[in-house]
Amino acid sequence: QVQLVESGGGLVQAGGSLRLSCAASGRSLSRYSKAWFRQVPGKEREFVAAISGGGGTTTYADSVKGRFTISRDNAKNTVDLQMNSLKPEDTAVYYCAAGSAFTTLNRLYDYWGQGTQVTVSS
């Protein structure tokens, strides 16, 4: 019923920027915490960033802190991830998620998108 759809992925050179967006449909998720995760083949899905349901608190993985910014627009039921100073190691499929808890643990999120590919070339 609830659908999350990521967009904005693509190919970018190292040092460049991309802005990912996650749109929700079927039900308003404005009261849910939102998060971004990423995954590369053969590796576990790792936490990237999260924002609380009220939008007052954010947290980031150390690997992206200072480079990525998560934000939300509850009126449009979207959450964005602004990615600056991209590095080749940022290459992954990026997933958005929503859940009732503000957490970095993927198993505690209730809804997931299907992912969008981000490739950073050197």
Side-chain angles (χ1 to χ4, degrees):
Q1 184 177 14
V2 172
Q3 295 183 1
L4 299 176
V5 180
E6 302 93 340
S7 63
L11 175 64
V12 64
Q13 291 186 332
S17 298
L18 283 174
R19 188 176 184 89
L20 306 183
S21 183
C22 175
S25 64
R27 176 187 174 187
S28 175
L29 300 179
S30 61
R31 297 182 183 273
Y32 285 68
S33 295
K34 311 296 197 303
W36 289 92
F37 293 79
R38 65 188 183 187
Q39 188 170 28
V40 299
K43 295 183 173 60
E44 67 180 3
R45 187 169 298 185
E46 69 171 341
F47 170 78
V48 176
I51 186 167
S52 62
T57 306
T58 59
T59 188
Y60 299 88
D62 288 341
S63 60
V64 307
K65 193 172 299 181
R67 299 188 297 120
F68 291 10
T69 303
I70 187 171
S71 62
R72 64 192 302 165
D73 186 339
N74 286 339
K76 297 190 294 184
N77 211 15
T78 60
V79 59
D80 291 351
L81 184 69
Q82 178 66 46
M83 305 185 295
N84 298 326
S85 302
L86 283 163
K87 305 174 181 179
E89 50 263 45
D90 295 319
T91 296
V93 176
Y94 283 71
Y95 300 87
C96 66
S100 59
F102 178 63
T103 177
T104 64
L105 303 177
N106 55 14
R107 65 181 177 86
L108 296 182
Y109 282 89
D110 300 308
Y111 307 105
W112 291 85
Q114 295 185 3
T116 185
Q117 177 70 48
V118 172
T119 302
V120 184
S121 65
S122 60

